[in-house]
Amino acid sequence: MSKITLNESLYSRIGGDDAIAKVLNIFYKKIMSDDKLLPFFKDVEIERLISKQRIFLTFAMGGPTDYTYWQRGLRNAHAQSVEQGLSDVHFDLVVEHMAKSLEQIAIPDDLIAEVKEVVEATRKHVLNR
């Protein structure tokens, strides 16, 4: 077992870029199989979305990236979906799919809870509140 320092980022503790890449592949399969979420992704190029999400999650979890426009970016990226009815119900499903995806790659429960907090912190921006 490795020793964790106080300054070690969530990004590092979950396994860095390899873990994020694995979890996003599982996560988007779940999203694309969810009839309640699928309408929001019908015209989205998934590989491009995964790439953007990878950069964002790296940033949000304290990893190495220069991503700086997250609040405005999240609002702009989700504005059309909000107009189409994206709501807390859908956001909750996304959080659930993320947690299940993390479980599938054997991320410990305490780290999943931290990731969920990171995702939850984006709710008001994603839902344009």
Side-chain angles (χ1 to χ4, degrees):
M1 179 181 266
S2 65
K3 185 176 178 182
I4 297 175
T5 65
L6 291 177
N7 294 326
E8 191 172 15
S9 67
L10 178 56
Y11 171 85
S12 294
R13 289 182 287 137
I14 67 163
D17 193 57
D18 287 343
I20 288 177
K22 287 177 189 173
V23 80
L24 287 177
N25 285 326
I26 295 167
F27 173 72
Y28 280 105
K29 286 178 185 167
K30 291 180 182 304
I31 294 292
M32 299 307 286
S33 297
D34 188 320
D35 291 338
K36 292 178 182 169
L37 296 174
L38 191 56
F40 300 106
F41 294 88
K42 67 180 178 177
D43 295 324
V44 174
E45 201 248 287
I46 293 300
E47 290 305 316
R48 184 169 179 251
L49 181 59
I50 289 172
S51 176
K52 287 182 175 189
Q53 185 71 277
R54 196 170 178 174
I55 293 166
F56 173 74
L57 286 177
T58 297
F59 161 77
M61 292 185 203
T65 184
D66 60 359
Y67 183 76
T68 57
Y69 300 103
W70 72 274
Q71 291 177 352
R72 186 183 75 210
L74 288 176
R75 289 178 185 276
N76 291 341
H78 296 91
Q80 183 177 359
S81 294
V82 170
E83 288 176 17
Q84 295 171 339
L86 185 70
S87 69
D88 286 302
V89 170
H90 303 105
F91 193 93
D92 292 342
L93 287 170
V94 168
V95 172
E96 181 182 324
H97 288 312
M98 179 58 73
K100 297 284 186 198
S101 299
L102 289 160
E103 286 175 15
Q104 280 188 245
I105 64 165
I107 300 297
D109 290 344
D110 60 328
L111 295 181
I112 292 173
E114 286 187 56
V115 172
K116 287 172 71 173
E117 287 177 22
V118 167
V119 174
E120 186 60 45
T122 69
R123 182 184 295 263
K124 69 181 180 181
H125 304 290
V126 169
L127 297 177
N128 286 302
R129 293 186 182 149

